[in-house]
Structure formats: C-alpha cells, structure tokens
Amino acid sequence: LFDNFGDRVMYWSTVNEPSVNVTGGYYRGTAAPYVKDKKTGLYAMMNMVLAHYSVCKLYHSMNLPGKIGMVNFCMPAYPKTQSKEDYDAAERYFAFHNQMWLDPFLKAEYPKVITDFPEIGDYMPENANEILKANFEPMDFLGINFYTAALIEYNPECDMDYKRLKYESLPKDEYTFRLYPVGMFDLLHRIKDLYGDIPLFISENGMGLHHKEDLEEDAHDPQRIDYMREHIRMVARCIRSGINLQ
C-alpha cells in the first residue's frame, strides 16, 4: 500500500477502534471471534499496539510526504454525583475506555490507575511497559470517533468498582446512543491535557435513525440537521479554545 499509494494518500490509520474490536472480540466476548478471557484480551491489546508501532516505523522509514496515526472510539465520563467515590469511579471508567488505549499508542505505557487493579494487573503481559518503551514509535495524529458520553457511579460489586448507568437526562438516537455535543468539547480538552498538542481529527460522528418507507419523509431530516449543527458548533468552539483540531 505504501509503495503504490504513499505519494498520493496523505493520511494513514493503522487501526480503527481497537478498543471496540479487541475488547469486544477477546476481552468481553461480545464480537467475533467471541473470546471472553481477560488475559487473552489484554495480550491481544498489546499485540495490536506493537503492530501499530511496526507499521509507523515502516512508514516513517520510507520518507513519504503524508502522516500516519490511529483512530479510536472515545467518550467522556461524568460522575453521577459530586461524591469522591463517583468521581474516582468516572476517572477509572475514562482510564479503561480511553487511556488504556491512548496511553500505549501515545506514551508507551499503560495507565497505572487501571493496572493497579488486580483484575487487570494480574492478567497483563509481564514487563508490559518496558516492552512498549523498547518498541515505541511516535505517530503523527490521532483520530477520534465521537458519538456519546458515559454516566458513572461507584459500585464495589462491579469490575474496577464502577458501573455505567443509563444517561436518562440526555436525548438518544434510535440506536440508543445518548447525544451530548458538549461532550466532544470536554473530551478533546481532556485529551489535550493528557497528550499535548497532537493534531486531532473527528474521524467518525453521527446519529442513528431508521429509514422511513416514504422517501420524502426520509429526506426531511431535522433531527440529524440539528445534531450536525450542534457538533459543528462544538468543533468551532474547540478550535477557538486552542485544540489542534484539523
């Protein structure tokens, strides 16, 4: 691909939504190949990161004119209440669903707030951070697939002592995603705080609506128009506030 298209394709992504594919496919068993095993999932996670490093090294070694990065599904997490327990639980949720992926891709390490939990740390590859640092290759940009936000409460009966709740106060699309455009602003600022001024792209965004039988009715789409307008407003707000959003 690089040999044939490297002079024409200016942006390359090594992987798309590894947090969804690996977690669903190997950790929770909710997607193909339907493996539900923590150790297998965490090893698959690290293998994907190492494969990404290898492809980035190859691309950079070829001195091509474009840029290479990766794309991940990310979301902000908000505590149910202002209690310290709920706040810490929301931080752990954010760390597992965002930093557990972005930290190794961008910093060559796993977030300590997650690996300190025995239900994760006991299943991690041995010397994981040392292996990451020995193989690390920086990437040129990060793509964010943004759709929704998470509401979290402390629950000691759940893994890592958090539970995701239904965000009833937010509107939802017809595929049950809760819609919160301001979450994009909060998320991108959090990413900047964690990883600095890396160029960012909103690589996926949208709302799910079922098709109507009547094409004229289907074409009249005020819900999606409103959705896109509000998210584009958030893009402009992010850029004005100093986010390196391309």
Side-chain angles (χ1 to χ4, degrees), residues 39-84:
K39 185 173 182 178
T40 301
L42 293 169
Y43 272 71
M45 178 187 300
M46 186 163 172
N47 286 339
M48 186 169 281
V49 175
L50 294 174
H52 161 86
Y53 292 166
S54 295
V55 176
C56 287
K57 285 178 182 176
L58 173 62
Y59 184 82
H60 290 147
S61 74
M62 297 175 69
N63 296 314
L64 295 167
K67 299 181 183 299
I68 192 165
M70 60 84 70
V71 172
N72 199 40
F73 171 71
C74 297
M75 71 179 106
Y78 301 99
K80 179 185 177 183
T81 72
Q82 295 183 358
S83 72
K84 184 178 187 307

Side-chain angles (χ1 to χ4, degrees), residues 13-24 48 70-74 101 105 143-147 177 203-204:
S13 173
T14 57
V15 291
N16 179 59
E17 295 193 348
S19 61
V20 175
N21 298 324
V22 173
T23 305
M48 186 169 281
M70 60 84 70
V71 172
N72 199 40
F73 171 71
C74 297
W101 295 96
F105 279 99
I144 301 294
N145 295 346
F146 175 79
Y147 292 98
F177 269 140
S203 40
E204 285 185 22

